[in-house]
Amino acid sequence: MDINEKALLYRAQAGDRRAAGTLFECYYQEIYTYIFYRVSDRFTAEILTAVVFMRMLRRLPTYIVQGKSILSWLYTIARKLVVDYYRTHDISDQLTFKDRLLGRNQHEPEGPVQSQDSLNYFQRALRHLDEQQKHVIILRLVEGRSIQDIAELINKSEGAVRALQGRALRSLGKMVEKEKCL
Amino acid sequence: MNRYRFDLILEDCLSRIDRGESLQDVLESYPALNVHLEPLVRAALMGRRLPKPVPSKDGFRTGKNMLLAEMNNMQQVNSFRQKGSGPALSRLTGRWLGSITKLLQAKRTTGLIPIYRFAVVGLVLIMVGGFLTVNASASSLPGDVLYDLKLGLEQTRAFFTFDQKARQDLVLAIEEERLSEVEILLEEGRQEEVEFGGVIEKKGESVWIIKGISVQVDSVSGLNSDLEIGSEVDVAATTLEDGNLQASDISAEVDDKVKDKKDKEDKVKDKKDKDKEEKDKDKDKDK
């Protein structure tokens, strides 16, 4: 966490509206991108992103500023919120083994790339990955972050992140080959 | 080739493409691995083409307004920390300290001789310190210095609550408090050992849901195979920095009354066995 980020956080903890607003503006896009690729719906992603920042605000007075970045904290809140969202709506963002065998797909994403079949397919293929693999793929490929950055953000070693990326790409590669959409 | 080395090579390919090299150039560096690398790198390139979704202006504005409105609500109930100090309680401490300093400085007006004055001040400080510590412990989490004090106070409160219904309400409130502590630790990404109780809602291969909380279970966790969905269980677990909860032990919750009854039965049985042994010994002596 750099000194400006820390100062911003302390000001927000003291109830400074402008500091809280700046935190929202700085990290809104990242959190929205992550949630969008998890829920595949623009409106739901906007609502859930707003809830992430509300939760951050409620935790602020008791939050202990450690070395970790605010974004890392926000990703943790967002990840938990998405899990809660799927649980309370009694749906899954992952295909069951039976679904995969039968080639079913429960919720087709209505992302911003519907006109491009291959990309749309890739979005659907993301659903075959587990939660951590998805997170790494979104951060690495969509956000374009480095392995080192991702390791810091999700509190894992660089080796663990490379392994997650490798496993995710092996799954995606198999599916992409199978569909021959490349 | 092992996975670790392959993952390093894959990452090297992706980094070089990021720097502007072509797919062909990158793959030519590892001809023996071309068959395995190519589909993975192509999949990654496809992922790179995924656009960053653009939120609507309305969504952004509404989100920010919700945040600021919540901030107003929190300001009205003084939830925020005071500028340049710790929690809001420090204001109160400041006033108390001001009064104490005045008491120490007032030589004539109080009429107390210095040693008594210091005794009074000492007593006040102990009382105020105790009050502040107890208050601060209420928001402490597992791993905090004051957490043991919080647990001790809860037990004391439960001990002195004699009304059956009030006691049940208190136990429920304490259980809810344990769950909210776990949620806060997970959100803050702190690694701490926690304990809580609840009903098993879902059982997956590696993740169980217990009272709404996802718990990772693996071969290390001391799992009892009799545990079914709907069973009341006690969970011992560790909150991890990546926001996951790793179980170390999940066991069926034992009701205190049932436990007491079982203890009593065991004691009676032990006593009977001892009596029997003594009688047998006496018989042997007689023989």
Side-chain angles (χ1 to χ4, degrees), chain A residues 133-148:
Chain A
Q133 290 172 358
K134 251 180 245 174
H135 200 173
V136 168
I137 289 296
I138 293 167
L139 291 176
R140 184 80 176 99
L141 304 183
V142 181
E143 297 268 346
R145 290 182 182 275
S146 69
I147 292 285
Q148 194 187 355

Side-chain angles (χ1 to χ4, degrees), chain B residues 14-52:
Chain B
L14 297 181
S15 306
R16 283 169 58 187
I17 289 174
D18 280 347
R19 289 196 295 269
E21 288 188 45
S22 72
L23 177 65
Q24 293 307 320
D25 290 346
V26 168
L27 291 176
E28 273 171 18
S29 310
Y30 304 102
L33 295 173
N34 258 357
V35 188
H36 304 291
L37 274 176
E38 193 174 345
L40 274 61
V41 178
R42 279 190 185 278
L45 287 177
M46 183 176 268
R48 288 266 156 82
R49 298 212 312 264
L50 287 173
K52 268 195 182 183

